[in-house]
Amino acid sequence: LQTMNTISLSVYCITLYKRFKNKDLENLSSFDHGKDFLSLVDQLFLSWKQDVELSLYNDEQAKKVSRLRRIGDACWEYHRHTTFIDGIIESGEYGTQEDIIEIKTGRSKYVKKKEDASLRPFYFMFYHKPNTEECFLLVERIGQNGIVTVLEKALREFLSNALSEEYTLVLRPYLMPKVLKLNMESVGGAKRVILKGIKNNAVSGTAKQQMFAGCATEVSFVAPKNNYIPGFETLFEKLKKEKDKGETCKIDAYECQDVAFEVSFNGKTRMLSVANITNMGMNVDVTNRVKYEGATGYPTYASLNEQAHQVLSYLDS
């Protein structure tokens, strides 16, 4: 059984520093008078479990509720280990009313009210190698849906009360070179190349007319039907090196701020931007590598845990 949505694991890096001392990252095994980051994460989730009946983290601003998945009367799909914490968080939005129908007949079965939320299960893992300044957060994405915003907000709120001094938590997407290489190898050739942020003096005619004054200019090259633009990977690497040096991208006579490629990735059309290459190196598609529960149609915890450990092996490679 497989889902129609893409299942992926996204990787983020968490660091912590005292306010205004962003160059002095804290050792996450011992900071703020001996506190340990994973233990604080454990305490956060303990607070989620304290209400015996229903323990919910309610983000009223986003209209989203989240909780640890319960697998027994006093047991959750939540596991604390020496170097990592992982589990399943059920999360969903509320605030709208929808009619739930039977797909074979089209008949209405019941109405989801504004105060109801449909919960989806999302895998997560906090991994911290002892005596280092970085903790890695792996979170499952189902299509475009995920829980990283929920976790970040909950963690910030908890730490602000748990720490004796004011610390700044930084959570950023983490690019893994091996993942980037694997994903780039699975990309088909470019069907279209778009040059973004071109200086207007490079394009004559309409771009100089007053009605387009101040508008950004883009140039698009489209491959012939049933064909691809050759040399995609070579061109991409060249542009990436220019971007890494802080230079503008140069293609032929055009100088631009960014270049986007329309490519086929895992059977789906995607826009791959030189400026946003991190997305290509932080997301691992596991759709066809996980096992699915027959009753729910979602991936099993065990198979997601296995794939998460595979992603961890990419961190040092």
Side-chain angles (χ1 to χ4, degrees):
L1 179 66
Q2 288 189 4
T3 177
M4 292 298 290
N5 286 308
T6 299
I7 306 297
S8 58
L9 291 173
S10 300
V11 184
Y12 297 84
C13 179
I14 297 173
T15 53
L16 205 64
Y17 61 85
K18 289 182 180 178
R19 190 181 183 189
F20 305 129
K21 296 182 178 180
N22 58 328
K23 293 184 179 180
D24 298 325
L25 299 181
E26 296 292 326
N27 178 344
L28 296 182
S29 290
S30 181
F31 65 98
D32 193 34
H33 309 292
K35 292 184 175 67
D36 170 70
F37 186 77
L38 275 189
S39 295
L40 289 169
V41 172
D42 191 35
Q43 291 173 33
L44 164 64
F45 287 115
L46 178 62
S47 71
W48 285 27
K49 295 189 289 184
Q50 283 177 339
D51 290 336
V52 178
E53 294 298 324
L54 283 176
S55 182
L56 292 173
Y57 175 76
N58 187 354
D59 185 343
E60 294 183 359
Q61 185 176 0
K63 294 189 180 301
K64 196 168 190 176
V65 289
S66 304
R67 69 182 184 186
L68 289 171
R69 181 162 73 180
R70 190 185 288 270
I71 55 176
D73 291 339
C75 190
W76 289 262
E77 193 71 271
Y78 175 81
H79 310 277
R80 169 74 198 268
H81 300 272
T82 304
T83 58
F84 72 93
I85 289 172
D86 79 336
I88 298 289
I89 289 174
E90 297 173 320
S91 186
E93 298 177 354
Y94 60 91
T96 58
Q97 179 173 303
E98 288 107 19
D99 196 18
I100 309 299
I101 65 168
E102 163 60 51
I103 59 171
K104 292 183 179 179
T105 64
R107 293 176 182 172
S108 177
K109 298 194 71 175
Y110 56 91
V111 175
K112 174 192 167 297
K113 299 179 181 179
K114 288 185 177 182
E115 58 269 25
D116 297 334
S118 175
L119 301 180
R120 282 180 163 187
F122 294 91
Y123 177 86
F124 72 95
M125 174 191 282
F126 287 88
Y127 167 76
H128 176 237
K129 188 176 180 180
N131 294 310
T132 61
E133 294 81 27
E134 298 175 325
C135 176
F136 294 96
L137 170 62
L138 283 65
V139 287
E140 178 189 1
R141 290 187 67 86
I142 302 174
Q144 296 300 313
N145 299 300
I147 53 169
V148 66
T149 303
V150 168
L151 284 173
E152 181 179 10
K153 186 171 183 178
L155 193 55
R156 288 186 188 279
E157 291 175 355
F158 182 81
L159 292 179
S160 67
N161 295 318
L163 301 179
S164 65
E165 299 180 54
E166 190 169 348
Y167 285 80
T168 299
L169 180 141
V170 177
L171 186 149
R172 58 180 174 81
Y174 188 77
L175 187 152
M176 294 171 287
K178 183 167 183 178
V179 172
L180 177 61
K181 183 175 185 296
L182 291 172
N183 285 340
M184 290 291 285
E185 288 173 352
S186 66
V187 168
K191 293 293 292 182
R192 186 159 58 113
V193 177
I194 304 171
L195 314 186
K196 299 185 174 184
I198 290 177
K199 294 181 180 179
N200 281 346
N201 59 11
V203 182
S204 61
T206 56
K208 293 184 178 180
Q209 294 179 12
Q210 189 170 354
M211 67 180 294
F212 295 114
C215 295
T217 305
E218 294 184 354
V219 171
S220 180
F221 298 95
V222 183
K225 188 176 181 180
N226 299 324
N227 209 337
Y228 292 102
I229 296 171
F232 155 70
E233 288 193 38
T234 302
L235 178 58
F236 192 93
E237 283 300 316
K238 169 185 171 294
L239 295 170
K240 184 177 179 296
K241 288 177 182 177
E242 291 176 1
K243 202 69 179 174
D244 289 344
K245 293 178 182 178
E247 301 173 359
T248 55
C249 299
K250 300 180 184 67
I251 295 182
D252 293 337
Y254 297 103
E255 185 176 350
C256 54
Q257 294 300 316
D258 191 18
V259 181
F261 297 82
E262 183 181 298
V263 298
S264 177
F265 181 55
N266 291 326
K268 296 183 179 180
T269 299
R270 284 186 55 180
M271 294 305 298
L272 177 59
S273 168
V274 174
N276 295 322
I277 187 60
T278 299
N279 290 333
M280 200 72 172
M282 65 170 286
N283 296 304
V284 181
D285 190 327
V286 297
T287 309
N288 298 320
R289 303 180 198 170
V290 292
K291 296 178 180 178
Y292 294 86
E293 298 173 346
T296 68
Y298 288 107
T300 65
Y301 161 78
S303 64
L304 287 164
N305 172 274
E306 181 182 352
Q307 291 304 314
H309 279 86
Q310 180 64 49
V311 173
L312 290 182
S313 72
Y314 299 151
L315 291 175
D316 298 323
S317 60

